[in-house]
Amino acid sequence: MRAVIFDIDGTLLDSVDLHARAWVEAFRHFGVETEEAEVRRQIGKGGDQLMPVFLSEERVARDGEEIETYRSDLFKRAYLDKVRPFPAVRPLFERARKAGLTIALASSGKKDEVAHYQELLGIGDLVDVATSSDDAERSKPHPDILQAAMDKLEGIAPADMIVIGDTPYDAEAARKAGLRTIGFLCGGFPEADLSGSGCVAIYHDPQDLLDGFDSSPLANQ
């Protein structure tokens, strides 16, 4: 193993519920009522993939960009300061670097959000590559964001990379990119969903993976 590609929301940060609430509020602002639990099951996708679940193709074409802009502004204004890191993210990154791994971030979030999250997590000095929805035409579960990360990880074969994420959409995107996935349960998706999407190993959260690092797929033994 030479590189590990981390998702951020729900994987490194406790932010899934906050994103779901922001989407519910944004949809309501535009006259669309949704259930938070239903929206939550779609978090992990970018807006381009999430909105068509709740809106008609015509509505997405007409209002999608405005809705996404409103939601993004709302999240930054009302929810961003409530996002908290899961325990042991930096120690896990330090352990990965000690094992000789190159570290990449690949998020469906916007570029400025990813930059903010690196600062919040205190991992900026440990990250070699970062990609966001701004680097991709389509968000997860399409593989574009991961492919952008792979392109930046020059000289490393897909067989020597692994993705870590908290949703079936991470695993689906990884599979389409020819990559394996480790699943985290801390984002709230059931273990059966992660197993069914093809995760090769499942851990509760960053601390759990750190504790079991030496027997994990990340260990170079």
Side-chain angles (χ1 to χ4, degrees), residues 68-143:
E68 168 63 12
T69 298
Y70 182 89
R71 183 222 56 93
S72 180
D73 291 344
L74 172 65
F75 184 81
K76 291 172 188 173
R77 182 176 71 251
Y79 294 104
L80 188 59
D81 64 352
K82 296 179 175 65
V83 174
R84 297 291 180 268
F86 287 121
V89 172
R90 183 174 175 88
L92 175 59
F93 276 43
E94 290 173 336
R95 181 67 183 85
R97 290 294 291 266
K98 184 179 178 181
L101 296 172
T102 298
I103 295 175
L105 301 177
S107 169
S108 290
K110 301 293 185 183
K111 185 176 182 179
D112 59 341
E113 292 175 6
V114 173
H116 173 78
Y117 290 156
Q118 288 189 69
E119 183 177 347
L120 177 63
L121 290 160
I123 57 172
D125 58 317
L126 300 173
V127 174
D128 299 288
V129 167
T131 60
S132 68
S133 61
D134 298 290
D135 297 301
E137 183 176 338
R138 303 167 301 175
S139 65
K140 301 171 188 173
H142 294 287

Side-chain angles (χ1 to χ4, degrees), residues 114-188:
V114 173
H116 173 78
Y117 290 156
Q118 288 189 69
E119 183 177 347
L120 177 63
L121 290 160
I123 57 172
D125 58 317
L126 300 173
V127 174
D128 299 288
V129 167
T131 60
S132 68
S133 61
D134 298 290
D135 297 301
E137 183 176 338
R138 303 167 301 175
S139 65
K140 301 171 188 173
H142 294 287
D144 304 29
I145 293 167
L146 293 176
Q147 190 62 59
M150 294 166 70
D151 290 345
K152 293 184 179 183
L153 293 168
E154 294 182 75
I156 302 179
D160 297 327
M161 304 179 191
I162 198 162
V163 173
I164 298 181
D166 68 297
T167 75
Y169 315 121
D170 294 308
E172 183 180 344
R175 185 172 66 253
K176 290 174 179 176
L179 302 173
R180 294 169 295 156
T181 305
I182 293 172
F184 278 1
L185 296 170
C186 48

Side-chain angles (χ1 to χ4, degrees), residues 51 59-71:
M51 284 188 287
R59 187 74 190 273
V60 172
R62 187 179 74 237
D63 300 328
E65 187 173 342
E66 186 179 359
I67 293 171
E68 168 63 12
T69 298
Y70 182 89
R71 183 222 56 93

Side-chain angles (χ1 to χ4, degrees), residues 6-99:
F6 286 91
D7 172 59
I8 300 177
D9 285 299
T11 300
L12 306 177
L13 293 171
D14 189 1
S15 57
V16 175
D17 289 335
L18 301 175
H19 279 293
R21 289 170 200 161
W23 274 111
V24 169
E25 287 188 41
F27 282 136
R28 183 177 297 127
H29 180 79
F30 287 87
V32 179
E33 290 298 325
T34 55
E35 294 290 335
E36 186 173 320
E38 291 296 320
V39 174
R40 195 189 194 287
R41 281 192 279 272
Q42 302 300 319
I43 301 299
K45 299 177 179 179
D48 61 315
Q49 303 301 311
L50 184 150
M51 284 188 287
V53 176
F54 302 99
L55 304 175
S56 68
E57 185 176 343
E58 178 185 5
R59 187 74 190 273
V60 172
R62 187 179 74 237
D63 300 328
E65 187 173 342
E66 186 179 359
I67 293 171
E68 168 63 12
T69 298
Y70 182 89
R71 183 222 56 93
S72 180
D73 291 344
L74 172 65
F75 184 81
K76 291 172 188 173
R77 182 176 71 251
Y79 294 104
L80 188 59
D81 64 352
K82 296 179 175 65
V83 174
R84 297 291 180 268
F86 287 121
V89 172
R90 183 174 175 88
L92 175 59
F93 276 43
E94 290 173 336
R95 181 67 183 85
R97 290 294 291 266
K98 184 179 178 181

Side-chain angles (χ1 to χ4, degrees), residues 1 91-92 94-101 164 182 201 203 205-221:
M1 194 62 59
L92 175 59
E94 290 173 336
R95 181 67 183 85
R97 290 294 291 266
K98 184 179 178 181
L101 296 172
I164 298 181
I182 293 172
Y203 295 85
D205 56 15
Q207 181 70 65
D208 190 26
L209 177 55
L210 177 62
D211 292 343
F213 193 95
D214 290 339
S215 59
S216 78
L218 297 185
N220 287 312
Q221 299 178 358

